Amino acid sequence: MKNKLVRFTKFSKVFFGISLGIILIGIICNFVFGTQLDIQFRGGSYIKYSYVGNVDTDKLKDVIQTNTKQEVTMSISSDILSNSKKGDAYTIRVEFAGTKAISTNEQKKLTQTVQKAFPDNNFKVLEASAIESSMGSKFLLKCLTAVAIASILMVLYVTIRFRKIGGLSAGVMALVALFHDVAMIYFMYIIFQMPIDSNFIAVVLMILGYSLNDTIVIYDRVREERRNFGAKEDIGYVFDYSATKVLRRTIFTSLTTLMAIGTVLVVSMIFNISSVTSFALPMMIGVISGCYSSVCIAGPLWVMWQRHKKKAKASK
């Protein structure tokens, strides 16, 4: 039976090396590209238009840029709910750098200029808003606080539930795995140069729960098998045996989730729905990382802790 085991603990250094290598690449990319914050967090102004038909986006940006002193960025997505008979419908979000709000007169003047430059595309204002930088910073701080509180509560739950197999060590290593997953999601945003927005916080919170669920399944099996094998059995073998038993379930669950999210991602890319793409792509990375960290990071680290603890007791 032992020959059929996947020896996760035997190759723990390889797993740690892979994670550290990815993190190192992410840190280098972070220095090169920097962290981009969405207008929700950094503050600024934006106007959202709807239009139909094809538009030369470079010309559109030039028209808008020449009529404002602020730096302009644009993002375009398909409007699949539109029933327009004049062609494909789109929405475009125009963001203005800085914290100065766009006045009503400026919005009206800019809209008239765009409509005059593109008379056949039926440009209409859907919404316009301005966010102060201080408000954006407070919103970001609240989001990070929510993530921190969720992480602490999750670890406390693991510590209490698995106290028979070293609750504190199980909780701490589960927290390390969660930090690992958050880092993977964050570096994905950096590498793909996607702005950190509310989708990032939503993905992080969802992956925290998903990853912890995988970890709990493995811990639960370890607790059961440790009771079956007895205290004399090597803790590394108990973990390898337990993780191997649930490995198929973990992989199939992750693959099913990935297929569902992947379908959403493909549809969002086909219709150029950027808000959905910026959610689905990090979710896929998070699911993969969550599955990996539960088996290859949290478990082997917990085994190392238990072995060190046992060795310390024996030396006394």
Side-chain angles (χ1 to χ4, degrees):
M1 183 179 293
K2 292 188 178 183
N3 294 331
K4 297 181 180 180
L5 294 182
V6 180
R7 304 301 301 224
F8 294 103
T9 55
K10 181 179 180 180
F11 300 100
S12 59
K13 292 182 179 179
V14 176
F15 298 139
F16 299 160
I18 292 173
S19 294
L20 290 175
I22 296 174
I23 290 174
L24 179 60
I25 294 174
I27 292 174
I28 294 174
C29 291
N30 195 21
F31 278 111
V32 174
F33 301 123
T35 304
Q36 299 181 38
L37 293 179
D38 187 75
I39 192 174
Q40 296 171 315
F41 294 147
R42 62 178 166 79
S45 303
Y46 73 89
I47 301 177
K48 190 173 183 179
Y49 293 104
S50 66
Y51 70 91
V52 296
N54 296 321
V55 167
D56 185 338
T57 54
D58 292 333
K59 180 181 178 182
L60 175 60
K61 186 174 182 179
D62 289 339
V63 169
I64 296 175
Q65 188 66 75
T66 53
N67 285 272
T68 180
K69 297 179 180 179
Q70 297 166 275
E71 185 67 26
V72 171
T73 57
M74 302 189 313
S75 59
I76 301 174
S77 60
S78 298
D79 186 359
I80 59 177
L81 299 179
S82 175
N83 295 320
S84 175
K85 298 180 181 179
K86 296 183 179 181
D88 295 333
Y90 301 90
T91 60
I92 180 170
R93 179 183 168 106
V94 183
E95 295 187 2
F96 303 87
T99 58
K100 183 181 178 181
I102 302 296
S103 67
T104 304
N105 289 335
E106 289 175 319
Q107 292 178 28
K108 186 176 181 180
K109 182 180 178 181
L110 186 60
T111 302
Q112 290 174 346
T113 302
V114 171
Q115 290 173 339
K116 184 177 181 180
F118 302 92
D120 299 327
N121 297 104
N122 194 27
F123 271 84
K124 294 181 180 179
V125 177
L126 294 179
E127 60 178 295
S129 181
I131 302 174
E132 295 182 6
S133 58
S134 59
M135 292 297 294
S137 300
K138 290 179 180 178
F139 181 48
L140 176 60
L141 180 60
K142 290 179 180 179
C143 291
L144 296 178
T145 302
V147 172
I149 293 174
S151 301
I152 293 172
L153 292 177
M154 290 176 182
V155 172
L156 287 175
Y157 169 75
V158 172
T159 301
I160 295 172
R161 179 172 177 180
F162 297 102
R163 57 186 180 277
K164 292 185 178 180
I165 59 170
L168 179 60
S169 59
V172 171
M173 296 315 165
L175 182 61
V176 172
L178 295 181
F179 284 154
H180 171 277
D181 298 333
V182 173
M184 293 299 132
I185 297 171
Y186 171 74
F187 290 135
M188 193 232 68
Y189 270 83
I190 299 300
I191 292 172
F192 285 92
Q193 299 184 49
M194 297 167 58
I196 303 294
D197 56 7
S198 57
N199 276 348
F200 172 78
I201 303 299
V203 169
V204 167
L205 289 173
M206 291 186 69
I207 293 304
L208 289 181
Y210 184 90
S211 176
L212 187 66
N213 179 69
D214 279 349
T215 305
I216 287 175
V217 169
I218 295 174
Y219 280 161
D220 192 58
R221 190 69 187 224
V222 169
R223 181 176 57 183
E224 180 181 340
E225 297 300 339
R226 192 177 188 185
R227 184 168 56 248
N228 294 335
F229 282 112
K232 293 183 179 180
E233 183 62 68
D234 176 58
I235 193 64
Y237 173 75
V238 174
F239 172 79
D240 289 339
Y241 181 86
S242 303
T244 302
K245 284 290 185 180
V246 301
L247 184 60
R248 180 177 296 181
R249 173 194 180 278
T250 301
I251 292 177
F252 284 170
T253 302
S254 298
L255 286 176
T256 303
T257 307
L258 284 173
M259 288 175 62
I261 301 174
T263 302
V264 174
L265 176 62
V266 171
V267 172
S268 66
M269 294 179 70
I270 291 175
F271 290 100
N272 196 25
I273 310 175
S274 58
S275 59
V276 178
T277 303
S278 65
F279 177 81
L281 181 58
M283 272 295 295
M284 293 186 68
I285 301 299
V287 169
I288 296 172
S289 177
C291 178
Y292 173 82
S293 66
S294 299
V295 179
C296 302
I297 302 297
L301 284 174
W302 173 80
V303 170
M304 291 174 62
W305 183 315
Q306 292 300 310
R307 284 175 173 172
H308 176 75
K309 184 179 178 181
K310 185 176 182 180
K311 186 177 180 180
K313 285 184 177 181
S315 62
K316 290 183 180 179

